[in-house]
Amino acid sequence: MPSTPPGARGAVITGWGVALPDKILTNVDLESMMDTDDEWIRDRTGIVQRHVGGTTAGLSTEAGRAALDMAGVGPDDIDALILATTTPDRAVPASASTVQDQLGLTSCGAFDLNAACSGWVYALVNAHGLIAMGARRVLVIGTDTLDRITDYHDRNTGILFGNGSGAAVLEAVDGGGQLLGWDLDSLGEAESALYAEIGGVLQMEGREVFRRAVRLMADSATNALTSAGVSADDITLVVPHQANIRIISASLDRLGIPLERASIVLDRTGNTSSASVPLALAEALDEGRVSDGDLILFVGFGAGMSAASAVVRWSPNAAEFTDDGANDE
Ligand code: ACO
């Protein structure tokens, strides 16, 4: 697995934002829709409620605008918009085009990236690649509206999924920036464990996904730690994909990282696929769980089966890295 080359131009996250639709579906609500119960769902998944409704472009625009406002970045300043999603609003064009228009981003490239629940971490790594090649600012959004491909009468899948969006602004810096190491992975041979045909709903072999997910997350995280040249003990905060608290707990066990170091939002959001990592990141940052110099480990897995991890040394201040005017050409 390649690692970040020495001397590559890096980036820092300077703003973030989230969006969740107003409508909430609790476990108790689900009891009248399928043969399940609140206690079973809490015990077996950690999920208590999920949000439903909204569109992928609409939620992305809300989260993206919040991130731009926080970064103090104007619509002319973004060079690329990457929207990680597995539920675009239409087959053509990319939902990123709609978001670009709604945010008024006047001069940027915009594209969707589908790596299922690993999507936002895939997008984060790809954004760093664009910045290494000269982009100044990239807006990285992860959004899914899984209610459109979920059968809420099927207890195998209907208890898990919800809608949401999270976004971050990445700004180029002169030095190496935040990203220390990364890993992108895919296990196509396991794709039949979790899929949805076009126009269909999610089909899943839950136990198989669980089994593979624990190993994939631990392996991918280990690759990223190695690539960054750090150990699991060095990590202050883990931002894992939010699929099931038992998957997170088992994979962190393998890594030797206590569960208390993870940011967990799945109790309130369910599995929001591409949105889950940026939602969990935003909550941890808003709660002040990360200080300058701390190491964050992102780790995602999803249908494909895909996996992606990144190790970031936190510093929110682009100016610390950047000479005057270096970002303004
Ligand atoms: N409510 C009540 N009982 C249930 C439910 C339910 N929703 N589902 C299954 N059960 C019952 C089963 O019938 C079974 O009963 P039995 O023992 O009498 O036969 C028992 O509970 C255990 O069933 P399992 O299928 O073994 O349940 P498990 O503990 O594996 O939990 C789950 C199922 C939650 C789906 C788990 O396997 C899981 O989380 N898998 C991973 C799913 C996942 O993360 N998917 C997303 C991937 S990311 C992406 O790309 C979208």
Side-chain angles (χ1 to χ4, degrees):
M1 177 55 62
S3 57
T4 312
R9 184 163 80 147
V12 300
I13 294 172
T14 56
W16 56 91
V18 300
L20 292 164
D22 292 337
K23 187 171 177 199
I24 290 174
L25 204 54
T26 66
N27 293 349
V28 176
D29 294 331
L30 294 180
E31 289 177 357
S32 61
M33 300 162 71
M34 63 181 83
D35 180 16
T36 193
D37 61 85
D38 177 37
E39 195 184 341
W40 191 95
I41 301 171
R42 285 175 193 247
D43 283 354
R44 304 308 291 167
T45 70
I47 298 167
V48 178
Q49 65 171 46
R50 67 289 292 144
H51 293 250
V52 292
T55 63
T56 290
L59 292 169
S60 301
T61 300
E62 190 181 334
R65 186 170 287 126
L68 293 172
D69 287 349
M70 184 179 201
V73 165
D76 301 336
D77 298 328
I78 296 293
D79 292 324
L81 159 60
I82 309 178
L83 172 56
T85 186
T86 199
T87 48
D89 292 326
R90 293 178 292 183
V92 179
S95 293
S97 302
T98 314
V99 178
Q100 178 200 11
D101 183 46
Q102 290 180 356
L103 287 174
L105 307 181
T106 48
S107 56
C108 76
F111 60 98
D112 288 2
L113 182 158
N114 181 353
C117 306
S118 312
W120 193 82
V121 185
Y122 262 77
L124 182 75
V125 173
N126 276 279
H128 278 87
L130 289 172
I131 283 171
M133 292 307 295
R136 297 161 306 166
R137 295 178 188 85
V138 182
L139 178 59
V140 185
I141 306 178
T143 307
D144 268 304
T145 46
L146 293 169
D147 63 351
R148 292 183 298 136
I149 59 166
T150 299
D151 178 355
Y152 286 105
H153 299 284
D154 172 8
R155 72 177 188 167
N156 289 321
T157 54
I159 57 167
L160 297 174
F161 301 109
N163 297 357
S165 178
V169 174
L170 282 186
E171 297 197 48
V173 293
D174 280 347
Q178 290 178 333
L179 184 68
L180 302 185
W182 55 275
D183 174 68
L184 301 182
D185 209 349
S186 179
L187 196 63
E189 69 189 41
E191 64 154 24
S192 61
L194 178 56
Y195 66 92
E197 299 294 354
I198 290 179
V201 292
L202 285 163
Q203 310 290 333
M204 183 180 74
E205 294 170 41
R207 285 184 203 182
E208 180 66 3
V209 172
F210 193 112
R211 192 178 65 79
R212 289 191 182 264
V214 171
R215 177 168 300 179
L216 267 173
M217 283 179 84
D219 288 352
S220 179
T222 301
N223 288 342
L225 290 167
T226 304
S227 151
V230 300
S231 80
D233 287 344
D234 300 324
I235 299 298
T236 302
L237 177 76
V238 183
V239 186
H241 171 48
Q242 314 276 312
N244 183 322
I245 192 69
R246 292 187 298 128
I247 292 176
I248 294 172
S249 175
S251 54
L252 291 187
D253 254 8
R254 281 185 175 228
L255 289 164
I257 299 177
L259 184 59
E260 299 71 51
R261 282 197 222 156
S263 177
I264 305 293
V265 296
L266 64 79
D267 50 324
R268 287 149 287 147
T269 63
N271 179 346
T272 55
S273 194
S274 310
S276 84
V277 169
L279 282 169
L281 172 67
E283 179 164 291
L285 294 175
D286 290 342
E287 288 178 349
R289 288 182 65 180
V290 189
S291 306
D292 257 22
D294 284 349
L295 295 186
I296 305 175
L297 169 64
F298 298 98
V299 53
F301 78 92
M305 290 188 67
S306 62
S309 299
V311 176
V312 157
R313 185 180 300 283
W314 183 250
S315 169
N317 191 355
E320 277 177 22
F321 294 83
T322 308
D323 292 339
D324 280 345
N327 282 345
D328 298 333
E329 316 120 43

